[in-house]
Amino acid sequence: MSADTVTITLPEPVYTLFDTTRRDLPAVVVVNDALLSFEHTDIFAWHLEVTVHAVDLADQGMPSNEESRILRELYPLASGSNA
């Protein structure tokens, strides 16, 4: 293996769940604790994956009007914009 090659073994995930609020809106934070000791943060300095599951569904499995409103309010928080 050359000096420019790195072999990466990802640890099995260990998730911790936090229920919280942000700007008076409900929020759930899930942290993969197994990555706290991940050795290659110089290569993968940041990784974020967000999955939102709507619970209050209306026609054809789409979020209800109220849940859509909440999701639209959460988008600026998740995207890092202040719009």
Side-chain angles (χ1 to χ4, degrees), residues 15 30 46-51:
Y15 296 111
V30 180
W46 181 260
H47 175 81
L48 174 66
E49 181 177 329
V50 176
T51 305

Side-chain angles (χ1 to χ4, degrees), residues 1 5 10-12 14-15 24 28 32 50 53-54 63 67 75 83:
M1 198 175 314
T5 303
L10 295 176
E12 288 295 319
V14 177
Y15 296 111
D24 295 325
V28 176
N32 183 353
V50 176
H53 296 276
E67 189 145 359
Y75 177 76

Side-chain angles (χ1 to χ4, degrees), residues 25-58:
L25 296 171
V28 176
V29 177
V30 180
V31 176
N32 183 353
D33 292 335
L35 295 178
L36 292 172
S37 60
F38 184 65
E39 295 179 23
H40 302 289
T41 55
D42 55 328
I43 299 169
F44 300 100
W46 181 260
H47 175 81
L48 174 66
E49 181 177 329
V50 176
T51 305
V52 176
H53 296 276
V55 175
D56 187 12
L57 303 178

